[in-house]
């Protein structure tokens, strides 16, 4: 075997009936024996370890999971280990149950190739019922229409059962809520203006009461100071006249004008605005 230059060149085939010298022999990766080109296959040389690296999986009829059989181990042992450790019969229905199209009367099974998710209702349907009218799609949820007084309307809904003024039967629901919210704003404004007027009256009364004390004390020129604007006067009488002429005008209530979102017409009273919208625009607040 071999040549004088290469004495180890070539090997005999392991098969007894062959024993052919092959200068490019093949070594079996299972039994590690040497074979020629003709007998290199597992079946050709009847390899006893041909199934050593094979992966055999058995599907469990109880849980529908795959159980791998370990080589050189009794399959019954592998099966008992699976049943005692990881077998879950409740998983069988989840694995075997096939999803169908949710349209009533449709028996189409949903697979990877025939499933389409509706972009509006986000539900999977078959190709036949992929359009909205075919599966009676309710459509996407529309956001609530914006309104300038939504914050006030949400707070006034709790008091909707006790409105200050009974709305007409033809008034829409939003007009009733708007009427209640406007009444609440008006009451808050009136309370604030009343409180401000009481504070100014108290300060004027304190200034009038201080006339006798200031005259008896003989205060110098420029010692009387206005509590509102800080201007100094030579006498209390002059201070009182200044407060009555200047600061009495500040007690006039500020008028708040509400603009109609439809025709931009201004109203001093929110209630008048609501009545205008109901009468002229049919209860619609959209421009």
């Amino acid at each position: 075997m071999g040549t004088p230059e290469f004495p180890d060149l070539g090997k005999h085939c392991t098969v007894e009936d062959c024993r052919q010298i092959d200068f490019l022999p093949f070594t079996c990766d299972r039994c590690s024996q040497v074979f020629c080109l003709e007998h290199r296959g597992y079946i050709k040389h009847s390899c006893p370890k041909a199934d050593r690296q094979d992966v055999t999986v058995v599907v469990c009829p109880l849980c529908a999971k795959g159980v791998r059989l370990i080589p050189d181990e009794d399959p019954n042992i592998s099966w008992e280990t699976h049943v005692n450790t990881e077998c879950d019969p409740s998983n069988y229905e989840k694995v075997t149950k096939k999803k169908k199209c949710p349209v009533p009367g449709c028996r189409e099974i949903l697979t990877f190739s025939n499933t389409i998710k509706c972009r509006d209702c986000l539900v999977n349907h078959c190709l036949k019922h992929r359009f909205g009218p075919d599966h009676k799609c309710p459509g996407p949820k529309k956001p609530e229409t914006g309104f300038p007084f939504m914050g006030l309307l949400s707070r006034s809904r709790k008091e909707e059962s006790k409105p200050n003024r009974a709305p007409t039967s033809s008034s829409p629901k939003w007009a009733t809520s708007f009427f209640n919210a406007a009444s609440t704003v008006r009451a808050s404004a009136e309370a604030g203006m009343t409180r401000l007027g009481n504070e100014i009256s108290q300060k004027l009364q304190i200034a009038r009461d201080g006339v006798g004390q200031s005259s008896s004390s003989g205060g110098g020129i420029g010692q009387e100071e206005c509590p509102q604007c800080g201007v100094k006067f030579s006498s209390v009488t002059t201070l009182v006249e200044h407060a009555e002429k200047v600061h009495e005008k500040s007690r006039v209530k500020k008028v708040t004008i509400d603009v109609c979102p439809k025709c931009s017409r201004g109203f001093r009273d929110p209630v008048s605005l609501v009545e205008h919208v109901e009468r002229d625009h049919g209860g619609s607040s959209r421009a």
Side-chain angles (χ1 to χ4, degrees), residues 73-139:
E73 184 181 71
D74 189 358
N76 295 326
I77 298 177
S78 301
W79 173 257
E80 292 179 0
T81 303
H82 163 73
V83 173
N84 296 330
T85 57
E86 59 182 4
C87 185
D88 185 11
S90 61
N91 186 61
Y92 183 82
E93 185 177 358
K94 298 179 182 179
V95 176
T96 58
K97 186 177 180 179
K98 298 180 180 180
K99 296 182 180 179
K100 296 183 179 180
C101 181
V103 176
C106 181
R107 298 182 179 181
E108 186 71 19
I109 298 176
L110 299 180
T111 61
F112 177 78
S113 60
N114 70 339
T115 302
I116 294 182
K117 179 182 290 186
C118 179
R119 63 181 180 180
D120 293 332
C121 61
L122 303 179
V123 179
N124 292 330
H125 296 85
C126 64
L127 295 177
K128 182 180 179 181
H129 301 99
R130 63 185 183 274
F131 297 111
D134 296 333
H135 62 264
K136 298 181 181 180
C137 181

Side-chain angles (χ1 to χ4, degrees), residues 58-71:
V58 179
V59 178
C60 178
L62 301 178
C63 62
K65 291 183 180 180
V67 181
R68 184 177 182 272
L69 301 181
I70 302 175

Side-chain angles (χ1 to χ4, degrees), residues 236-255:
V236 179
T237 304
T238 309
L239 172 61
V240 173
E241 293 177 356
H242 163 75
E244 291 178 351
K245 292 180 180 180
V246 178
H247 298 296
E248 283 290 336
K249 297 180 181 180
S250 63
R251 298 180 60 183
V252 179
K253 298 181 180 179
K254 296 182 180 180
V255 179

Side-chain angles (χ1 to χ4, degrees), residues 106-227:
C106 181
R107 298 182 179 181
E108 186 71 19
I109 298 176
L110 299 180
T111 61
F112 177 78
S113 60
N114 70 339
T115 302
I116 294 182
K117 179 182 290 186
C118 179
R119 63 181 180 180
D120 293 332
C121 61
L122 303 179
V123 179
N124 292 330
H125 296 85
C126 64
L127 295 177
K128 182 180 179 181
H129 301 99
R130 63 185 183 274
F131 297 111
D134 296 333
H135 62 264
K136 298 181 181 180
C137 181
K141 295 183 179 179
K142 297 182 180 180
E144 296 182 359
T145 306
F147 197 73
F149 299 97
M150 288 302 297
L152 297 175
L153 292 177
S154 61
R155 287 181 293 179
S156 63
R157 286 173 182 173
K158 298 180 180 180
E159 302 178 358
E160 190 172 345
S161 59
K162 299 180 181 180
N164 295 332
R165 178 180 176 182
T168 58
S169 58
S170 61
S171 300
K173 185 177 181 180
W174 78 267
T176 304
S177 302
F178 186 30
F179 177 82
N180 297 334
S183 301
T184 304
V185 174
R186 181 179 180 182
S188 301
E190 291 178 354
M193 295 302 296
T194 303
R195 184 171 61 256
L196 179 61
N198 294 335
E199 293 178 358
I200 296 177
S201 300
Q202 292 177 1
K203 292 181 178 180
L204 291 177
Q205 185 64 30
I206 293 174
R208 292 191 183 97
D209 295 341
V211 173
Q213 298 178 1
S214 299
S215 60
S216 61
S217 60
I221 298 175
Q223 297 299 323
E224 302 298 336
E225 182 177 354
C226 178

